[in-house]
Amino acid sequence: MAHAKDKVGIMGGTFDPIHVGHLVTAEAVRIEYNLDKVLFIPASNPPHKQQSLVTPAIHRYIMTVMATYSNPYFFVSGIELERSGPSYTVDTVRELIDCYGANTDLYFITGADAVKDLPSWQEIDQLLELCYFVAATRPGCISYIDQVIKQFGAKGRRSIQRLATPELEISSTDIRERVKKGRSIKYIVPESVEDYIYKEGLYR
C-alpha cells in the first residue's frame, strides 16, 4: 500500500513585522489541509520590495521565531537568508523539494492580494507544477482570484486553491506606522514581538 504523502505548508513573506494575521491564516490552512507542519520563511531580499527599505533580515527572522515558538506545528527556516540575490519563491520551493523528497506535497500559503501578482512571479508556470497555492480569501476578493485561476487554465485549477480565513484587517505597513507615531500595537502582534520591536528600537 502506498504511503500517504506528507504535507508541508510554506508561509513566505517579508514579516516586517510578523503579526497575528499571519499566524491566524497559517493555522487555518494547517487545520483545513491537515498539514504536518508549516514552515515560515522570511524573505532575505524580496524582489517586489527592491525600492523600499526593509528591516535587516536577522531582526525579521528573530521576530518570526518568537511569534511561532508556542505552536508545535510551526517552524522557521532561514533558507532564503542563506542565499544571495533576490529571494525568488521558485528557488526556495526547489530547495525544499530536494530537502523533503518526492513524497511531500508543498502548500504555499499566501494572501489574496499576492495572488493578483502571481502572473508576474519568476517562473510561475514551473512553480505551479512544483507546489499548491492556498489563497487566504476574504469577502470581495474571490472574483479576481477566479480570474487568475482562469488565466492559468488547467494548471491554475489544479494548483491554486481558495480558503476563507478569519477576516483581520492588519498589515505590517500599518504596524510600522503605528510604532513610528507612538501608537499601541498590543494584540496586533504577539507580546514577544512587541517587546522585541521596542527593545531594538525598530520602526522609529
Side-chain angles (χ1 to χ4, degrees), residues 174-193:
D174 178 55
I175 292 166
R176 294 195 299 272
E177 201 58 32
R178 281 171 172 270
V179 174
K180 196 173 170 183
K181 291 177 177 173
R183 292 167 63 201
S184 172
I185 56 169
K186 196 169 281 301
Y187 310 124
I188 303 175
V189 297
E191 194 174 346
S192 56
V193 172

Side-chain angles (χ1 to χ4, degrees), residues 29-129:
V29 176
R30 182 188 75 77
I31 291 168
E32 180 69 23
Y33 287 85
N34 196 25
L35 303 179
D36 297 291
K37 64 166 85 169
V38 177
L39 277 183
F40 285 72
I41 304 180
S44 172
N45 190 5
H48 60 293
K49 296 194 176 172
Q50 297 290 301
Q51 306 308 317
S52 54
L53 283 171
V54 177
T55 303
I58 188 64
H59 287 307
R60 296 183 286 106
Y61 178 83
I62 290 169
M63 287 190 285
T64 306
V65 170
M66 288 174 151
T68 56
Y69 191 73
S70 63
N71 188 321
Y73 298 100
F74 287 178
F75 297 87
V76 182
S77 166
I79 189 171
E80 292 193 354
L81 277 57
E82 294 152 16
R83 214 169 54 224
S84 59
S87 303
Y88 291 120
T89 300
V90 68
D91 296 331
T92 302
V93 167
R94 282 185 182 128
E95 272 193 64
L96 292 173
I97 288 169
D98 286 344
C99 174
Y100 286 107
N103 207 44
T104 300
D105 280 337
L106 299 176
Y107 291 76
F108 193 91
I109 304 163
T110 185
D113 295 339
V115 174
K116 276 194 288 195
D117 300 327
L118 274 185
S120 68
W121 282 31
Q122 185 88 346
E123 294 185 59
I124 184 58
D125 285 321
Q126 178 70 34
L127 193 51
L128 289 172
E129 288 178 7

Side-chain angles (χ1 to χ4, degrees), residues 8-11 25-26 28-30 32-33 35 106-112 114-115 118 128 131-137 145 158-165:
V8 174
I10 305 168
M11 189 85 181
T25 298
V29 176
R30 182 188 75 77
E32 180 69 23
Y33 287 85
L35 303 179
L106 299 176
Y107 291 76
F108 193 91
I109 304 163
T110 185
V115 174
L118 274 185
L128 289 172
C131 69
Y132 295 102
F133 277 82
V134 181
T137 64
I145 292 177
R158 183 198 82 92
S159 300
I160 303 171
Q161 300 167 22
R162 296 190 314 252
L163 179 66
T165 55

